[in-house]
């Protein structure tokens, strides 16, 4: 065996030597025609599908280019090093990297090529790129996809294919479009696969999806190994897989997938663009086992030029054993455009020097140091990087030694063809016939085989059984508010989720951690959503009211007293009202006393008239006749003010006498801390940490476990307050509604939520189910189960029935005060006007006691002479002066007769005295 191995290598070296001598000994006839021929090495395996197709495209490209450019004086000439097995002395496929390296050394050292197109695979390219950098010879590849080979690190490597990692964005967009939250890469253990997966993981995470695990398959995996891999895939819940393999391994893989019925509508298979063309290569052998498989590939413009090239290639392929694809492939078009690019680049190189700088050999003639350095390489590389044209594959432009990526299109296998979906995914243009003739896309996950029933933990919480409690008569042996909401949310899903409840003990933090350890598939109960708990599990949306408040006893502070009737009005309002009573009485007296005998008399009688008339308006019992229109106006406005005051007073007094006046014993946690009182909290909750943050000393905390404990502790004043979440407090108030109230601010929490393992695909679906339940009438029924049918009002809101204040009636007082002052001013002005008018009278002076009786305005009766009486008889003087319409009286109403009373003459009024004085002065 060793001898046979050495002979095969010796045969291969003799082949290389003879080929090199032939290349050096034959003179290129084109040089005699002033045409410079540039030798370009080509390293391909033409027995492979990609190598065979690409070589055909390259030959056609050179023919088309020089047909289109007949006057070009620099032409490339291909020197092919075919890596077919029979050309390599029987080398196996796994040895192709070694064979490619040997071919590259030969092309650089013996043929002195100025560029190398190829290598075909990334493993071949790794070593050849190093040779190119050493010899300044551009290495151009349209099929070496590994991101580990970067033009930025190897300046003489040029990739005329799209960046392989760019397809990760297209794959992530598919997952996001169909709401697939998890994607598992299934890839061949090669350099390309190992380097691509990290890009995929990062891109998926940026698009709200992630990779739960990775599945690597050896290149020479047997059927047994592949079946073991499929067993593992099926045992997990994720059903979206990205397949990245060689054609031969992928065909074997999908054949076993179909045998195991893993191509049903529960599974999603996506292929990378290197594998998308497998149906075109293997025909029905591939399509039969890949129905419904999605794929991505570069979007190729279907131009007439592309169609013409495809038609000509079709005729050529009939002459060989290769299978012609149904459409031009990206690799073939990139190979075609690569030749056009290189042919144009060599033409642009001025004064090309095709020689190599030789280096001093340190070892034998096979050492790499004897390859030398190309004189033309640097100029050729610069020329290549400046090329920009429209090729068969679209816009051809190099950016940092890499062909600029374009748009990908989505495909799926249906029947015998790989049908394109389109370059973009929108919900309006997706039309995919999924496996099982299903028009709806798979949800992307499924319960693992053999464990399709969820095991859901239910916390044991006897204190508040309204939320969760064992119930053998219930649907799943548990009942309560939380159970009913969960069952309704699961029933709202579009798919079936079987589950069983099991009661578990422990603190809530411990139970959440049990879900993190995957001992349970979920946790359903009164579990509060907290930040530290969310580090270990995922929560659904909350389904209860959120927040923490303080529960305290309340007391009736309305103690009835003999002076309760004074409480509706404040002292300031009482004084102001009394002042306006007196003011109104004085204004009415001042206007009426000259013309109205009811406001006459001695000073005591007149003072009594003022107070009686004013305060009688309180009960609207004023019966005194008003003569002046001014006083009537004042009284009308004042009565309106009194009416408003009376109604407000009555309402406030009724409230104080009949409504229970409740007040909380404490109003804030700060008051509890200041007084050094104790605070109660629910056992097995997060309250101790919250109370510490509020400033409550741990020694002042008392643990309680049920509503009955709350009532006992608060009623006996063992604790001043209980701090707990609002749902628990509402349950308590439903049982003890009269003596307690929630007070103080609400401390924010996120309410109760259902707990699932991190990354569970059920979380968004159950959250949407919760929203549906909360928007339905069922939620009202569920609330009645735990909170009763009553509504909750903080009794502290009714603890203060405040007295009426002066500020509330300031507008009314301004109105009545202004009207009184204006009426008083008008009355004084008219009095002054009469005084001035009477002062201009030229009649003889009269005795003040003998003045004429006034005549009412409009009266035709002559003035009556004042009667003369003896000295021992006195008469009351009661003849008022006549006034204008603002205070005038008629003859029928205005002049009361003189009266004799008690043998005394009544004192004259202020108006009479004023008139008499003016008349005396006139006389």
């Amino acid at each position: 065996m060793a001898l046979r191995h050495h002979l095969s290598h010796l045969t291969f070296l003799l082949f290389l030597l003879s080929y090199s001598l032939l290349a050096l000994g034959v003179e290129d006839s084109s040089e005699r025609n002033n045409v410079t021929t540039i030798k370009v090495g080509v390293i391909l395996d033409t027995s492979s599908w990609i190598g065979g197709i690409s070589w055909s495209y390259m030959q056609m490209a050179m023919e088309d280019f020089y047909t289109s450019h007949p006057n070009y004086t620099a032409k490339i000439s291909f020197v092919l090093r075919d890596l077919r097995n029979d050309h390599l002395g029987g080398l196996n496929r796994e040895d192709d990297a070694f064979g490619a390296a040997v071919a590259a050394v030969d092309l650089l050292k013996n043929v002195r090529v100025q560029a190398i197109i190829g290598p075909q695979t990334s493993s071949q390219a790794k070593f050849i790129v190093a040779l190119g950098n050493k010899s300044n010879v551009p290495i151009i590849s349209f099929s070496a996809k590994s991101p580990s080979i970067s033009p930025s690190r190897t300046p003489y490597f040029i990739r005329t294919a799209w960046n392989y990692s760019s397809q990760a964005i297209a794959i992530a967009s598919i997952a996001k479009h169909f709401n697939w939250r998890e994607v598992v890469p299934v890839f061949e253990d090669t350099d390309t696969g190992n380097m691509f997966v990290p890009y995929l993981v990062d891109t998926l995470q940026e698009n709200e999806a992630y990779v739960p695990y990775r599945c690597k398959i050896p290149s020479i995996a047997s059927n047994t190994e592949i079946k073991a891999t499929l067993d593992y895939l099926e045992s997990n819940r994720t059903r979206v897989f990205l397949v990245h393999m060689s054609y031969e391994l992928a065909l074997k893989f999908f054949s076993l997938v179909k045998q195991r019925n893993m191509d049903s509508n529960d599974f999603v298979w996506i292929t990378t663009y290197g594998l998308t063309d497998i149906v075109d290569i293997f025909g029905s052998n591939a399509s039969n086992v890949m129905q419904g498989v999605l794929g991505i590939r570069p979007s190729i413009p279907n131009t007439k030029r592309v169609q013409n090239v495809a038609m000509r290639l079709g005729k050529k392929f009939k002459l060989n054993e290769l299978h012609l694809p149904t459409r031009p492939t990206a690799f073939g078009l990139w190979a075609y455009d690569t030749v056009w690019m290189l042919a144009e680049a060599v033409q642009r190189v001025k004064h090309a020097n095709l020689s190599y700088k030789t280096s001093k050999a340190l070892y034998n003639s096979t050492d790499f140091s004897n390859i030398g350095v190309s004189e033309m390489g640097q100029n050729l590389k610069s020329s290549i990087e400046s090329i920009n044209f429209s090729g068969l594959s679209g816009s051809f432009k190099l950016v940092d030694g890499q062909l600029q990526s374009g748009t990908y299109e989505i495909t799926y296998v249906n029947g015998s063809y790989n049908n394109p979906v389109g370059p973009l995914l929108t919900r309006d243009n997706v039309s995919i016939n999924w496996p099982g003739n299903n028009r709806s896309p798979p949800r992307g996950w499924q319960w693992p085989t053999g464990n399709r029933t969820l095991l859901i933990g239910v916390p044991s919480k006897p204190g508040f059984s309204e939320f969760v409690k064992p119930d053998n008569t219930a649907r799943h042996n548990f009942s309560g508010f939380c159970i009913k909401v969960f069952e309704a949310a699961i029933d709202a899903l579009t798919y079936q989720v079987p589950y069983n409840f099991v009661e578990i003990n422990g603190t809530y933090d411990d139970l959440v951690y049990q879900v993190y350890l995957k001992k349970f598939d979920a946790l359903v109960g009164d579990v509060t959503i907290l930040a530290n708990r969310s580090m270990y599990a995922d929560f659904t949306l909350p389904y209860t009211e959120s927040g923490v408040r303080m529960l305290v006893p309340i007391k009736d502070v309305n103690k009835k007293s003999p002076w309760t009737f004074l409480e509706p009005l404040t002292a300031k309002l009482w004084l102001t009202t009394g002042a306006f009573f007196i003011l109104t009485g004085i204004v009415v007296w001042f206007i009426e006393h000259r013309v109205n005998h009811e406001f006459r008399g001695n000073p005591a009688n007149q003072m009594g008239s003022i107070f009686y008339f004013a305060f009688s308006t309180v009960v609207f019992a004023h019966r005194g006749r008003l003569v002046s229109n001014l006083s009537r106006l004042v009284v009308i406005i004042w009565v309106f003010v009194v009416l408003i005051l009376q109604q407000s007073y009555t309402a406030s007094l009724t409230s104080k006498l009949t409504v229970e006046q409740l007040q909380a014993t404490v109003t804030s946690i700060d008051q509890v801390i200041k007084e050094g009182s104790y605070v109660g909290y629910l056992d097995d909750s997060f309250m101790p940490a919250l109370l510490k943050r509020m400033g409550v000393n741990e020694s002042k905390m008392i643990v309680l476990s049920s509503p009955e404990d709350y009532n006992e502790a608060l009623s006996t004043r063992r604790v001043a307050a209980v701090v707990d979440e609002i749902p628990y407090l509402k349950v308590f108030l439903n049982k003890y509604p009269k003596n307690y109230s929630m007070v103080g601010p609400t401390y924010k929490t996120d309410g109760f939520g259902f707990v699932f393992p991190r990354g569970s695909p059920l979380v968004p679906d159950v959250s949407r189910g919760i929203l549906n339940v909360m928007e339905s009438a069922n939620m009202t029924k569920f609330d009645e189960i735990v909170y009763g049918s009553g509504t909750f009002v903080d009794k502290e809101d009714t603890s203060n029935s405040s007295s009426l204040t002066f500020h509330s009636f300031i507008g009314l007082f301004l109105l009545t005060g202004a009207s009184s002052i204006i009426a008083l001013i008008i009355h004084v002005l008219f009095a002054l006007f009469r005084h001035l008018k009477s002062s201009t009278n030229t009649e003889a002076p009269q005795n003040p006691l003998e003045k004429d009786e006034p005549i009412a305005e409009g009266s035709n009766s002559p003035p009556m002479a004042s009667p003369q009486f003896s000295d021992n008889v006195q008469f009351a003087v009661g003849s008022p002066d006549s006034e204008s319409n603002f205070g005038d009286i008629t003859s029928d109403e205005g002049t009361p007769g003189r009266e004799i009373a008690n043998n005394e003459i009544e004192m004259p009024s202020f108006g009479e005295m004023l008139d008499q004085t003016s008349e005396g002065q006139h006389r």
Side-chain angles (χ1 to χ4, degrees), residues 545 725-734 742 786-787 792:
E545 185 177 358
E725 294 178 85
I726 292 177
Y728 296 117
L729 299 183
K730 291 173 70 175
V731 169
F732 174 82
L733 291 175
N734 184 45
M742 289 186 288
V786 64
Y787 305 132
F792 292 89

Side-chain angles (χ1 to χ4, degrees), residues 276-277 279-280 293 297 327 411-414 416-420:
T276 306
D277 298 324
V279 174
D280 295 328
V293 174
R297 64 188 178 195
R327 64 186 299 279
T411 68
Y412 76 102
V413 179
N414 184 25
S416 302
Y417 301 99
N418 201 5
N419 300 305

Side-chain angles (χ1 to χ4, degrees), residues 477-760:
N477 297 325
F478 283 88
S479 63
F481 176 76
C482 300
I483 299 297
K484 289 189 175 296
V485 173
F486 179 78
E487 290 175 344
I490 294 296
D491 292 341
L493 301 180
T494 58
Y495 49 88
Q496 296 294 323
V497 179
Y499 57 90
N500 288 326
F501 290 133
V502 57
E503 188 174 10
I504 53 178
N505 296 312
T507 66
Y508 282 85
D509 290 341
D510 292 339
L511 299 183
V512 172
Y513 191 69
Q514 294 299 313
V515 176
Y516 169 74
L517 297 177
K518 297 186 178 179
K519 293 184 178 180
F520 299 96
D521 296 308
L523 179 63
V524 172
D526 49 340
V527 183
T528 305
I529 303 172
L530 298 176
N532 62 327
R533 294 174 182 173
S534 65
M535 297 174 62
Y536 298 95
D538 285 345
F539 287 83
T540 62
L541 292 176
Y543 57 90
T544 63
E545 185 177 358
S546 63
V548 173
R549 294 194 71 183
M550 189 168 61
L551 179 72
V552 298
I554 55 176
K555 60 183 179 180
D556 187 2
V557 297
N558 186 11
K559 296 181 180 179
K560 311 301 186 296
S561 69
W563 305 103
T564 302
F565 70 93
L566 294 176
E567 295 179 4
L569 306 183
T570 61
K572 183 177 181 180
L573 184 56
W574 275 118
L575 294 175
T576 303
T577 304
F580 271 87
F581 271 114
I582 298 173
L583 174 64
T584 303
I586 292 175
V587 171
V588 171
W589 170 82
F590 193 85
I591 296 174
E592 289 285 334
H593 80 282
R594 294 183 61 243
V595 295
N596 192 338
H597 73 278
E598 295 184 8
F599 290 87
R600 299 276 183 91
N602 57 48
N605 290 337
Q606 295 188 52
M607 187 67 67
S609 297
I610 292 174
F611 284 98
Y612 171 77
F613 179 85
F615 285 97
S616 65
T617 58
V618 175
V619 292
F620 307 103
H622 50 287
R623 293 291 183 262
R625 186 168 58 110
L626 298 179
V627 175
S628 174
N629 289 333
L630 287 173
S631 59
R632 291 170 182 169
L633 176 64
V634 170
V635 171
I636 288 174
I637 296 177
W638 172 242
V639 169
F640 171 74
V641 173
V642 170
L643 176 64
I644 301 299
L645 283 171
Q646 183 191 59
Q647 296 295 327
S648 301
Y649 172 84
T650 303
S652 180
L653 181 61
T654 302
S655 174
K656 288 182 176 295
L657 292 176
T658 60
V659 178
E660 188 178 25
Q661 305 294 307
L662 302 176
Q663 186 177 31
T665 55
V666 293
T667 58
S668 67
I669 193 67
D670 293 333
Q671 180 181 351
V672 176
I673 297 172
K674 183 178 180 180
E675 295 174 355
S677 303
Y678 287 88
V679 178
Y681 67 91
L682 183 61
D683 187 21
D684 190 22
S685 69
F686 64 93
M687 288 301 132
L690 178 62
L691 290 173
K692 288 180 181 178
R693 292 197 298 270
M694 293 179 182
V696 179
N697 192 290
E698 189 172 2
S699 62
K700 295 295 183 179
M701 302 180 192
I702 296 179
V703 61
L704 306 171
S705 59
S706 67
E708 292 72 21
D709 287 352
Y710 286 11
N711 179 51
E712 184 275 332
L714 291 170
S715 61
T716 61
R717 299 298 188 265
R718 185 156 61 98
V719 296
V722 172
V723 177
D724 207 344
E725 294 178 85
I726 292 177
Y728 296 117
L729 299 183
K730 291 173 70 175
V731 169
F732 174 82
L733 291 175
N734 184 45
K735 293 184 177 181
Y736 304 94
K738 294 183 178 180
N739 301 322
Y740 305 97
S741 176
M742 289 186 288
V743 300
T746 300
Y747 301 93
K748 294 299 183 181
T749 61
D750 286 335
F752 296 166
F754 302 129
V755 186
F756 289 90
R758 293 290 300 272
S760 173

Side-chain angles (χ1 to χ4, degrees), residues 56-75:
S56 299
Y57 271 98
M58 291 173 62
Q59 290 176 307
M60 184 171 291
M62 189 164 65
E63 177 183 345
D64 293 345
F65 182 84
Y66 289 116
T67 301
S68 302
H69 305 86
N71 297 325
Y72 275 22
T73 58
K75 294 186 177 181

